[in-house]
Amino acid sequence: MSSSRSIAALDPARSVLEQLRERVAAMEHKTAGEPVPTLPGLADVVPMRAGSTYAVDSASLALALAAGASRSGEWVGFAGCADFGAEAAAELGIELSRTVLVPDPGEHWLEVTAALVDVLRVVVLRPPASVSERTAGLLDSRLRTRSAVLVVHGDWPRAEARLTLEDSAWSGPVAGAGALVERRARVVVRRGARPPVRADLTWPGVHRVEPRAEQGVREIRRRVDGRAG
């Protein structure tokens, strides 16, 4: 990995500055408030909008919110995410060749994040400390200007939505050795004073679990088991 700790493979035949300027120009032509691609399992739960900030309580949710934009061809970045899992990111569909990683921006995290927001569509940030209203306001203004999205792993003042995981469980082989196959978790989305929205999702892939379909399977199993007895 390069000294800038970037996973992204820029075109070596062209000036890095020129390529970044092109991305800045592209971001300036996008409109704040326009939809940002989201994974199908999350589209109904948290439709993301350019110029907004979303707070999450886990790395898996942060990756999931960045994956939709990456799949659609956008550039994404991660700042302060020292435990960034490249394998988990790729499994969700994040294109590593269009991903920029700054695992430890240190005391300059605000300037680094602002620079990433200037050139990337979605930026995931894990702040090193609590964030004040004033600091958050500076980045919020930058997001609206560049029509980017900020996903914060942690607390953030005035976030558009806050996502948390609950009832998380892994499934795998019933007996013996083997790898974990699927993770199921309930995602809770809170937006201001509105009632929270809950959805059951599965990893990898982040697919929606339809409660009615799952209930139907249980009903069929009960009937079959009853006849077998």
Side-chain angles (χ1 to χ4, degrees), residues 86-162:
E87 185 176 346
E91 196 170 45
L92 277 174
I94 292 178
E95 178 53 60
L96 298 182
S97 65
R98 291 193 306 272
T99 300
V100 176
L101 175 64
V102 186
D104 185 15
E107 62 182 16
H108 302 294
W109 69 269
L110 181 60
E111 293 88 342
V112 169
T113 305
L116 293 178
V117 164
D118 279 348
V119 295
L120 307 177
R121 185 57 153 169
V122 177
V123 176
V124 175
L125 166 68
R126 191 164 192 173
S130 60
V131 179
S132 67
E133 288 273 354
R134 180 179 178 279
T135 299
L138 292 174
L139 274 181
D140 288 344
S141 176
R142 197 74 161 252
L143 290 170
R144 290 189 294 270
T145 300
R146 297 303 187 191
S147 298
V149 169
L150 181 66
V151 177
V152 179
H153 184 175
D155 294 326
W156 193 262
R158 297 175 299 173
E160 173 69 19
R162 301 177 189 279

Side-chain angles (χ1 to χ4, degrees), residues 7 24 43 48 51 59 71 97 106 122 141 145 153 156 168 179 185 204 207 220:
I7 294 176
V24 170
M48 295 202 303
R71 284 187 181 186
S97 65
V122 177
S141 176
T145 300
H153 184 175
W156 193 262
S168 179
H207 300 294
I220 293 171

Side-chain angles (χ1 to χ4, degrees), residues 11-111:
D11 185 350
R14 300 177 56 209
S15 164
V16 172
L17 182 59
E18 178 187 355
Q19 294 177 69
L20 291 178
R21 282 174 176 166
E22 288 178 357
R23 287 173 203 157
V24 170
M27 296 294 283
E28 288 175 341
H29 286 89
K30 295 182 184 294
T31 305
E34 70 177 2
V36 174
T38 313
L39 292 179
L42 290 168
D44 295 334
V45 184
V46 55
M48 295 202 303
R49 299 279 177 180
S52 299
T53 301
Y54 301 86
V56 301
D57 70 343
S58 71
S60 57
L61 276 177
L63 288 174
L65 289 187
S70 182
R71 284 187 181 186
S72 70
E74 301 280 6
W75 281 68
V76 301
F78 295 80
C81 304
D83 57 351
F84 177 80
E87 185 176 346
E91 196 170 45
L92 277 174
I94 292 178
E95 178 53 60
L96 298 182
S97 65
R98 291 193 306 272
T99 300
V100 176
L101 175 64
V102 186
D104 185 15
E107 62 182 16
H108 302 294
W109 69 269
L110 181 60
E111 293 88 342

Side-chain angles (χ1 to χ4, degrees), residues 53-55 156-163 188-197:
T53 301
Y54 301 86
W156 193 262
R158 297 175 299 173
E160 173 69 19
R162 301 177 189 279
L163 287 74
V188 184
V189 182
R190 294 178 174 84
R191 294 175 180 269
R194 303 178 195 174
V197 175

